[in-house]
Amino acid sequence: MYAIVEIAGRQTKVESGKFIYANKLSGNEGDAVEFANVLLTDDNGTVTLGAPFVSGVKVTGKILTPMVKGDKVIVFKKKRRKGYKKKNGHRQQFTKVLIESIG
């Protein structure tokens, strides 16, 4: 069984027993989180599509690590023949969440 859930404005496919990296969520390690914005569920071929959300279905999980940094993204700007160069880096912060149940 899997579900498509909206977490912090992004749609994510989740399965019970697996973990995901979501945009940084508030909470500490071991805290329970609940996602109510379920867009689609699939239970062994039976697909339920919400309009916009599936009613009565929630996804619960547990925060494993409150902050994980993603890969570094380098932003480099240059204008030729003008002597203008600018280099900037960014690392996105994520939360590692273990999905416990869908239903």
Side-chain angles (χ1 to χ4, degrees), residues 54-101:
V54 179
S55 61
V57 178
K58 294 180 184 175
V59 175
T60 59
K62 181 173 73 171
I63 295 177
L64 295 179
T65 309
M67 191 189 76
V68 177
K69 287 189 175 182
D71 294 334
K72 182 171 266 195
V73 177
I74 303 294
V75 180
F76 184 74
K77 298 179 182 180
K78 179 182 178 180
K79 295 189 179 180
R80 62 186 192 155
R81 298 186 302 270
K82 306 296 179 196
Y84 173 79
K85 288 192 245 181
K86 189 170 195 166
K87 183 178 178 182
N88 196 359
H90 175 74
R91 291 184 74 179
Q92 185 70 34
Q93 295 179 351
F94 295 104
T95 301
K96 187 175 182 180
V97 179
L98 174 67
I99 304 300
E100 292 177 334
S101 67

Side-chain angles (χ1 to χ4, degrees), residues 28-41:
N28 297 322
E29 188 172 340
D31 287 352
V33 290
E34 187 174 279
F35 307 112
N37 294 345
V38 179
L39 302 168
L40 178 139
T41 59

Side-chain angles (χ1 to χ4, degrees), residues 10-36:
R10 302 183 111 195
Q11 296 178 6
T12 308
K13 179 180 176 181
V14 297
E15 296 181 40
S16 60
K18 297 194 176 182
F19 65 87
I20 60 166
Y21 291 100
N23 283 337
K24 189 170 182 194
L25 303 171
S26 61
N28 297 322
E29 188 172 340
D31 287 352
V33 290
E34 187 174 279
F35 307 112

